[in-house]
Amino acid sequence: MIFTGRGRARFLDAVTGFEAAVTERDGDRAQRAMQQIQRHFGDADDDQPARVGPRLAALLPEVPPGPRGLVAVLIGACVERGADAAVCAPHVFDGLAEALGVAGEFCERWAATGGGDLPAPDPDAPDGDVLERVGQDAADGWFTLPQWEMASVAMLNRPAVRTALEPALRTGLLDALRAVQEASGDDFKCLHHALLVLDEEPLVALHRPTGTGYLLRMTGIGDNFQLHTLLADVLIGGGHVPGQAPSAQEAAVCRDAPGQVPTTGAFNLVTPGGEWVWNEGTPTDIPVVDDVRLLVLDPPPYKRGWPAGRFFPGMPGDLVLERVLGADETREWLERCAPPR
C-alpha cells in the first residue's frame, strides 16, 4: 500500500513535470517525465487519469510531432479510465488530421524517391535512409500513424464523441485516410471502421422468404458480422421469422458483454440491387433509399460460421426493433428490389 500511494503521487508529479517541460520546450526533461507517467500510470487512482486526460489533451498542440502520437495514446488510456472523451477528442482529432496529411506526403515522397515497399509504420523504425528520402516531418507523420489510430479509436468508442463529430470533419478524416490507404496499401482498418460507425441509424430489413419487413435502429455496430448476429437475435429470437436464433450469450457479446463465442449465419445480406453485403464490411455498405438504409435478407447460400462479438471490444452496440412493417408497405419495398440471383 505504501508503494502504491507513492506511485499515485509520482504519477501526478510526472504529469506536472511533463507540462512544465513542454511549456519550457525542454525535450530531454519532457522525455524523462513521460517515461515516469508511463511507469506510474497503473498505480494512479481511478480519478487521476480522469483529471489528467483533458490536461494532456489541451497540451497536445505544444508537443513536438515525434512524441505527440505517444501523448495521444496516453490520452486514450485516460479516456478508458474515465476521462471525458468529449473534451479530449477535438485535440486528438486535430492531431490525427495533421498526421494523416503528413503521412500522405510521406507516401508521395517515398514514391518520388524510388518507391518500393514502404517501411512498417512503427514509431521506433525510422532510419537514416528513410529520413534522407522523405525528411523528418513526413517520417513522423507516417511512423506515428498507428498511435493516432489507437488514440482516435479510444475516442470513437464513446457514442457522445461519434454523435458530436461534425460531418465535414468525419468526411475530411475519411478522405485523408483513404488517400493514405491507396498510396500505402495499408488498410488502417480499425480507424476506418471506427469513423464509419453509425448511431441511431434507421434500417429497413426485408425478409424475402416470408415477405415481411421490419424497421430497426442500429447504434455502435462495428462490422456486419456483429449486425448479422443481432439481426438474427431480433428477428428469429423475437419470433418474427423462422430459423435458428443465436444463443443469449452470442447476442450479448454483440451488445456489451465481453468475449467471443462461435455462431452461425442465418441470412444472406443483400442490397436492393442484388449485390451481397459482406460480413467483413460495415453497415455503411447498406444503401440508403428514401432516407433509410434498405437491406434484403435472403436464405444463406451455404453454412458460414464466425466468432460472434464486437469488432471494437470497448464499443457497446445495439439493434432494436421499432416496428413491424405492414404487408402493403413491405410489398412496396420489395417491389423496388431486384429479384434474388
Side-chain angles (χ1 to χ4, degrees):
M1 293 297 292
I2 294 175
F3 173 80
T4 301
R6 288 177 179 172
R8 292 168 183 166
R10 288 171 180 166
F11 173 71
L12 290 181
D13 289 345
V15 171
T16 300
F18 180 73
E19 290 171 317
V22 170
T23 300
E24 297 167 13
R25 302 187 182 279
D26 188 334
D28 291 338
R29 185 153 59 97
Q31 183 177 16
R32 292 194 297 271
M34 177 53 65
Q35 291 171 346
Q36 290 301 305
I37 292 173
Q38 293 175 283
R39 178 181 178 185
H40 297 296
F41 183 82
D43 298 322
D45 285 331
D46 287 341
D47 67 324
Q48 289 178 335
R51 300 200 310 268
V52 163
R55 288 167 56 183
L56 292 176
L59 189 68
L60 201 55
E62 306 303 320
V63 179
R68 194 180 297 158
L70 177 59
V71 178
V73 171
L74 181 61
I75 295 166
C78 288
V79 164
E80 291 172 349
R81 291 189 59 180
D84 189 337
V87 173
C88 298
H91 300 284
V92 172
F93 291 150
D94 285 346
L96 171 64
E98 182 178 344
L100 284 170
V102 178
E105 293 177 10
F106 174 93
C107 296
E108 292 175 1
R109 294 181 188 179
W110 188 265
T113 55
D117 293 337
L118 275 76
D122 180 340
D124 298 323
D127 58 27
D129 177 63
V130 171
L131 297 180
E132 183 177 347
R133 288 181 62 175
V134 301
Q136 184 68 58
D137 290 345
D140 286 339
W142 172 252
F143 286 103
T144 63
L145 202 49
Q147 295 175 329
W148 288 106
E149 178 178 42
M150 188 183 306
S152 299
V153 169
M155 304 298 123
L156 292 165
N157 275 336
R158 302 297 189 266
V161 170
R162 299 194 301 269
T163 55
L165 188 59
E166 292 291 338
L169 175 58
R170 186 192 300 267
T171 299
L173 291 173
L174 281 167
D175 288 346
L177 175 59
R178 290 187 182 109
V180 172
Q181 290 171 317
E182 292 172 3
S184 68
D186 197 309
D187 60 10
F188 295 101
K189 187 175 182 179
C190 287
L191 178 57
H192 187 245
H193 274 37
L195 287 168
L196 292 176
V197 170
L198 302 170
D199 291 282
E200 298 299 321
E201 181 79 2
L203 169 69
V204 167
L206 306 174
H207 187 252
R208 186 148 34 199
T210 60
T212 55
Y214 308 88
L215 176 63
L216 307 109
R217 192 165 295 272
M218 50 186 172
T219 290
I221 295 177
D223 64 13
N224 292 332
F225 286 111
Q226 183 183 0
L227 174 62
H228 193 142
T229 302
L230 289 176
L231 280 166
D233 175 60
V234 172
L235 299 182
I236 300 176
H240 299 285
V241 302
Q244 179 65 46
S247 68
Q249 185 182 12
E250 290 166 39
V253 296
C254 290
R255 288 191 169 92
D256 55 12
Q260 294 182 329
V261 289
T263 193
T264 302
F267 311 113
N268 193 34
L269 311 185
V270 181
T271 71
E275 297 82 12
W276 286 16
V277 177
W278 297 99
N279 284 341
E280 292 80 1
T282 73
T284 58
D285 297 333
I286 303 169
V288 175
V289 179
D290 290 350
D291 299 323
V292 65
R293 295 191 185 272
L294 182 61
L295 180 67
V296 179
L297 306 179
D298 280 336
Y302 52 86
K303 185 175 181 180
R304 186 180 185 191
W306 59 83
R310 301 192 301 284
F311 186 87
F312 299 106
M315 183 186 297
D318 203 5
L319 180 73
V320 297
L321 175 64
E322 296 207 329
R323 65 182 179 90
V324 179
L325 303 185
D328 290 344
E329 188 179 6
T330 301
R331 184 166 53 253
E332 289 176 4
W333 279 116
L334 281 170
E335 287 174 353
R336 301 172 67 177
C337 298
R341 295 182 177 178

